[in-house]
Amino acid sequence: MKKSADLNPRILVEKDKKHIWHPFTQMKEWQEEAIIVIKKGEGVYLEDVEGKRYLDGVSSLWCNVHGHQVPEIDEAIRDQMAQISHSTFLGLSNIPAIELSEKLIEITPKSLTRVFYSDSGSEAVEIALKMAFQYWKQKGKVKKKKFAKLTQAYHGDTLGSVSVGGIDLFHGIYGPLLFETYPVPSPYQYRWPSGSDPETVKRESLAEMERVFREHHEEIAAFVMEPLMQGAAGMIHQPSGYISRARELTKEYNILLIFDEVATGFGRTGKMFALEHENVTPDLLAVAKGLTGGYLPLAATLTTEDIYSAFLGKHEELKTFFHGHTYTANPLACRAALANIDLFEKNQVLEHLEPKIGFLKKRLESFYNIPIVGDVRQVGLMAGIELVKDQKTKEPFPLEAKIGIRATKRAVHKGAFLRPLGDVVVLMPPLGITQDELGRLLDITYEAIDEESEEILAR
Ligand SMILES: *Cc1c(COP(=O)(O)O)cnc(C)c1O
């Protein structure tokens, strides 16, 4: 541990502001704000250098699963460290990566039989795109080189992943650098033009999906989507039956299906993977975030024997998948992932999740009493509360109102760390949260939004 002078909160803040450029952050505002420097974590709590504690309401950006300082994961990493922390995966293999691949294949659908490792969700998606593209080329279908995606999608920040994304607020500026895609309208029930009835939204959005596939299937290599819930899009959930129909249509039109379960994977929706809700098997599956329980950066792209085999050939045929990162299949991260997955069984995480999901659902209903709450959406232990200027007309707040930021800042003051997605307040606590802790998180969130609402109405 460093000596106490180095931990002086004021000096730490000063140094941060002097040297660091934070992700997704307007640094001009950061410079002017009081910032929080985290010193430790315990269970579902974060603690800052001043000793103030915060409920980790967004699982340290959607990745924490069992809480912080989980003895089993800590120990697994320490054990591995006593062996080796890293060796390359190019030309070598390692024990934790082998064990983890077996485990991943065991817990995902049967026909996913191959695991390709990387370090982040963006890369896992990017790899799926490249595999799909190269697959068709090597199968002789050279025209299949485009991708279909859902509007408002978020699949990461590297340029390939941004190309299949659709959040203009983040990515509009990079337009000239992106490849062209075919957008399919996201089944956003709250703001669907012809009304919010789930059956209507499902029918009309799927009809549009089918139209895109029918007209362009000869050029479309793959359709990429988050199953069940588009997270970073603002927690947009899909009507039941949507993902199975997407699977049928992609099969019918000979288009590969890529599921991005970076956010929805590892118990988040109440099942280990969101695809289990409708027993759908994609051709490629991207996982990351919860994979290591929120401990270390690790991601994986799983695929079928059919896709894998298309890359087999003689050296000089150049069918190899030329992709890899320095830290691919890092042993510490793989060991953490193994410990994380073991804990699901040991602690019966999914069984204990059921009542928490029900409790969250029930408590979320009361949020409609707040005049600025327009819509509340939930799948499993992921929820979004959309704030609007007018409940009746659904008119959004102007961007400069920074309503999401303001509401979540209030929550932080009250002891719950939350982050918004635009005007949507996100609740995404670690799965290991107790019902009491969840209740406290909801109390704080309610108070924060309610106070914000009162202040607006008083104006
Ligand atoms: C977070 C996220 C990503 C990107 O993952 P990173 O690890 O941040 O690169 C991709 N897809 C989805 C659905 C995500 O939620």
Side-chain angles (χ1 to χ4, degrees), residues 374-430:
D375 195 25
V376 178
R377 304 182 280 270
Q378 178 211 3
V379 173
L381 225 52
M382 63 197 298
I385 303 157
E386 182 164 338
L387 308 181
V388 291
K389 200 166 159 199
D390 189 324
Q391 262 182 343
K392 279 207 189 68
T393 64
K394 306 182 180 181
E395 183 193 344
F397 282 99
L399 195 57
E400 61 272 20
K402 298 202 284 187
I403 188 74
I405 296 177
R406 290 177 56 95
T408 50
K409 276 214 170 123
R410 280 182 195 271
V412 175
H413 267 286
K414 294 172 184 293
F417 181 74
L418 296 184
R419 262 186 81 82
L421 290 163
D423 293 352
V424 178
V425 173
V426 173
L427 286 176
M428 189 117 166

Side-chain angles (χ1 to χ4, degrees), residues 62 119-123 125 154-157 226 232 260 262-263 288-289:
W62 310 10
D119 314 333
S120 70
S122 308
E123 289 162 71
V125 171
Y154 177 83
H155 296 291
D157 296 324
E226 282 181 88
D260 174 352
V262 170
K289 289 198 170 99

